[in-house]
């Protein structure tokens, strides 16, 4: 996807997710009161800003670095989470957690990040900033989410990202919506629906719900599986295979 289309795509994806989540939240008994609670609105908005900034910085970074390098640098949040959790949460990770963190980091480096050492640029700094905001979003879910209804919290968070993405699109990409026929292509619709419903609505509800039962460091470790699943899906469904060394 071209960078110029990323924010419009992000706006459509999160608006779809927000619409579905609002309907689900309001369909429950007492759902409206949970959704418009000042505490939920405040926390959800703050988390949404952090999440949007992570997407925005990753997008800026992709203008000058390769996707594989971006994936590795974004994955640095697995180290940043336990480091930032010490001053922000007053929690220190166990030796077992640190071992798992550095094992995951090594795996990311072997998978798609070794080359970044020779391609350091401004885009790399943007992407490291993305990793910082991902780490902060995970940490503050850990800090603020307990006691808050997960669906209401995730709904406000997703609405915030959708609105910020829409505002960014209107300011930076005035021609992004034309031609409208490009948005009606079956593959585009499939990508928006799949990522909107499962990669956004379900994913961030699950984080808000299940992170209350585990730690921020473990969540960061789970998130490092993203490039692994991406590689598996690419091979199984897109017939994309990594190049063989020494071959053609």
């Amino acid at each position: 996807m071209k960078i110029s289309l990323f924010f419009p795509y992000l706006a459509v994806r999160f608006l779809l997710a927000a619409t579905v989540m609002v309907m689900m939240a309001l369909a429950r008994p007492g759902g409206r009161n949970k959704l418009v609670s000042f505490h939920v609105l405040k926390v959800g908005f703050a988390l949404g800003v952090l999440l949007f900034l992570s997407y925005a910085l990753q997008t800026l970074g992709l203008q000058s670095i390769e996707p594989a390098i971006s994936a590795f640098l974004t994955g640095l949040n697995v180290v940043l989470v336990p480091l930032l959790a010490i001053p922000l949460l007053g929690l220190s990770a166990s030796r077992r957690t640190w071992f798992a963190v550095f094992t995951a980091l090594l795996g990311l480096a072997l998978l798609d990040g070794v080359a970044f050492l020779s391609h350091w640029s401004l885009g790399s700094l943007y992407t490291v900033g993305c990793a910082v905001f991902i780490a902060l979003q995970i940490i503050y879910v850990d800090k603020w989410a307990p006691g808050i209804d997960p669906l209401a919290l995730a709904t406000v968070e997703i609405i915030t990202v959708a609105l910020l993405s829409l505002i960014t699109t209107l300011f930076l990409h005035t021609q992004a919506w034309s031609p409208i026929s490009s948005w009606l292509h079956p593959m585009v619709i499939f990508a928006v629906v799949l990522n909107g419903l499962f990669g956004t609505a379900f994913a961030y509800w699950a984080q808000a719900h299940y992170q209350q039962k585990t730690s921020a460091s473990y969540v960061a470790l789970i998130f490092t599986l993203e490039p692994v699943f991406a590689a598996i899906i690419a091979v199984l469904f897109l017939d994309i295979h990594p190049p063989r060394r020494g071959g053609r």
Side-chain angles (χ1 to χ4, degrees), residues 168-184:
T168 303
T169 297
L170 295 177
F171 273 98
L172 300 181
H173 309 294
T174 55
Q175 304 301 319
W177 307 109
S178 60
I180 193 65
S181 59
S182 63
W183 290 94
L184 299 178

Side-chain angles (χ1 to χ4, degrees), residues 9-42:
Y9 166 76
L10 204 61
V12 173
R13 166 186 168 180
F14 275 85
L15 283 171
L16 173 63
T19 301
V20 172
M21 296 180 77
V22 167
M23 291 190 296
M24 292 175 59
L26 294 179
R28 302 176 304 161
R32 181 180 180 279
N33 292 333
K34 294 177 181 178
L35 194 59
V36 300
S37 162
F38 177 74
H39 186 56
V40 171
L41 293 174
K42 178 178 67 174

Side-chain angles (χ1 to χ4, degrees), residues 180-194:
I180 193 65
S181 59
S182 63
W183 290 94
L184 299 178
H185 190 281
M187 289 303 296
V188 174
I189 295 174
F190 176 76
V192 169
V193 172
L194 182 66

Side-chain angles (χ1 to χ4, degrees), residues 23-70:
M23 291 190 296
M24 292 175 59
L26 294 179
R28 302 176 304 161
R32 181 180 180 279
N33 292 333
K34 294 177 181 178
L35 194 59
V36 300
S37 162
F38 177 74
H39 186 56
V40 171
L41 293 174
K42 178 178 67 174
V43 173
F45 175 77
L47 293 175
V49 170
L50 293 175
L51 187 60
F52 171 77
L53 289 173
S54 71
Y55 277 104
L57 287 171
Q58 186 179 54
T59 301
L60 291 173
L62 281 168
Q63 295 182 79
S64 58
I65 63 175
E66 295 297 322
I69 300 173
S70 176

Side-chain angles (χ1 to χ4, degrees), residues 9-219:
Y9 166 76
L10 204 61
V12 173
R13 166 186 168 180
F14 275 85
L15 283 171
L16 173 63
T19 301
V20 172
M21 296 180 77
V22 167
M23 291 190 296
M24 292 175 59
L26 294 179
R28 302 176 304 161
R32 181 180 180 279
N33 292 333
K34 294 177 181 178
L35 194 59
V36 300
S37 162
F38 177 74
H39 186 56
V40 171
L41 293 174
K42 178 178 67 174
V43 173
F45 175 77
L47 293 175
V49 170
L50 293 175
L51 187 60
F52 171 77
L53 289 173
S54 71
Y55 277 104
L57 287 171
Q58 186 179 54
T59 301
L60 291 173
L62 281 168
Q63 295 182 79
S64 58
I65 63 175
E66 295 297 322
I69 300 173
S70 176
F72 171 70
L73 293 176
T74 301
L76 291 178
N77 72 83
V78 71
V79 178
L80 293 172
V81 166
L83 285 176
L84 293 175
I86 296 173
L88 295 178
L89 300 180
L91 300 174
S92 58
S94 65
R95 291 182 179 179
R96 183 176 64 177
T97 300
W98 278 114
F99 176 76
V101 162
F102 285 109
T103 300
L105 186 63
L106 177 61
L108 284 172
L110 294 174
L111 184 65
D112 54 18
V114 175
F116 95 95
L117 291 173
S118 59
H119 295 280
W120 193 259
S121 65
L122 182 60
S124 301
L125 294 178
Y126 283 137
T127 311
V128 170
C130 161
V132 171
F133 281 109
I134 291 175
L136 289 174
Q137 191 266 354
I138 293 173
I139 286 172
Y140 282 114
V141 167
D142 199 73
K143 184 175 183 178
W144 294 333
I148 299 180
D149 179 72
L151 180 57
L153 178 60
T155 300
V156 176
E157 181 181 9
I158 296 308
I159 290 173
T160 300
V161 179
L163 292 177
L164 291 175
S165 300
L166 184 60
I167 292 170
T168 303
T169 297
L170 295 177
F171 273 98
L172 300 181
H173 309 294
T174 55
Q175 304 301 319
W177 307 109
S178 60
I180 193 65
S181 59
S182 63
W183 290 94
L184 299 178
H185 190 281
M187 289 303 296
V188 174
I189 295 174
F190 176 76
V192 169
V193 172
L194 182 66
N195 285 291
L197 297 184
F198 296 99
T200 304
F202 174 76
Y204 289 104
W205 166 81
Q207 183 194 8
H209 180 75
Y210 290 105
Q211 192 170 329
Q212 299 185 31
K213 307 177 187 298
T214 185
S215 70
S217 296
Y218 284 174
V219 170

